[in-house]
Amino acid sequence: MNRRTFLNAVFLASVISLAGLTGCLGAPTGDNGNTNSDSGRNSNSYQQVDAEAAKELMDTEDDYVILDARTQTEYDEGHIPGAILIPHDTVATAAENALPDKDQLILVYCRSGNRSKEASQALVDLGYTNVVEFGGINSWPYEVEK
């Protein structure tokens, strides 16, 4: 496969993936990227998307929370506008007070993507049904506030 064919295939896969994402968030994926086929959301998985897809959700959805799973110091150094801070190691104890609607769209990030995965899994373990993990602020090409 030549470079141009490969890039076209990657672009087409991205468009198909984004079209499915913006059409419906009803089929979350977990760490392995497999889509659950049961009706509605599975309570023990979350969806993973890239920064661009997360930004698209932020631009098109009305009722969502952006959750920063880093430390207070990291958050203070710069965070996505509107993000609330719940460090990944406190999600299990702090989420239910900070996030009372378990069906609300929750977009989760950290620095590089590791802690956001842990936080996302902790949320679904608590019964949250609409969790989307989008990696780390290190790959966030959009606005950051301090």
Side-chain angles (χ1 to χ4, degrees), residues 68 70 74-84 109 137 140 142-146:
D68 188 323
R70 301 175 301 155
E74 291 171 305
Y75 180 87
D76 293 342
E77 290 172 354
H79 55 273
I80 295 172
I84 64 167
Y109 75 97
I137 198 165
W140 182 253
Y142 308 104
E143 179 184 0
V144 173
E145 68 182 19
K146 296 181 181 193

Side-chain angles (χ1 to χ4, degrees), residues 30-54:
D31 285 344
N32 62 8
N34 292 334
T35 300
N36 298 311
S37 60
D38 58 308
S39 63
R41 291 177 180 83
N42 185 316
S43 64
N44 44 356
S45 64
Y46 55 89
Q47 187 169 21
Q48 291 180 277
V49 300
D50 61 15
E52 291 76 18

Side-chain angles (χ1 to χ4, degrees), residues 8-118:
N8 285 339
V10 169
F11 175 75
L12 181 59
S14 297
V15 168
I16 291 169
S17 176
L18 185 57
L21 175 66
T22 58
C24 176
L25 285 175
T29 60
D31 285 344
N32 62 8
N34 292 334
T35 300
N36 298 311
S37 60
D38 58 308
S39 63
R41 291 177 180 83
N42 185 316
S43 64
N44 44 356
S45 64
Y46 55 89
Q47 187 169 21
Q48 291 180 277
V49 300
D50 61 15
E52 291 76 18
K55 179 71 164 109
E56 176 73 18
L57 287 170
M58 292 173 197
D59 290 344
T60 59
E61 296 293 324
D62 292 327
D63 186 28
Y64 64 88
V65 171
I66 305 169
L67 190 153
D68 188 323
R70 301 175 301 155
T71 65
Q72 181 72 55
T73 301
E74 291 171 305
Y75 180 87
D76 293 342
E77 290 172 354
H79 55 273
I80 295 172
I84 64 167
L85 175 67
I86 303 178
H88 79 287
D89 57 352
T90 66
V91 167
T93 57
E96 290 185 325
N97 288 330
L99 305 166
D101 182 356
K102 291 194 174 188
D103 294 321
Q104 183 175 31
L105 173 58
I106 303 171
L107 302 163
V108 186
Y109 75 97
C110 63
R111 182 182 55 82
S112 64
N114 293 323
R115 290 175 285 178
S116 58
K117 286 176 181 58
E118 291 177 22

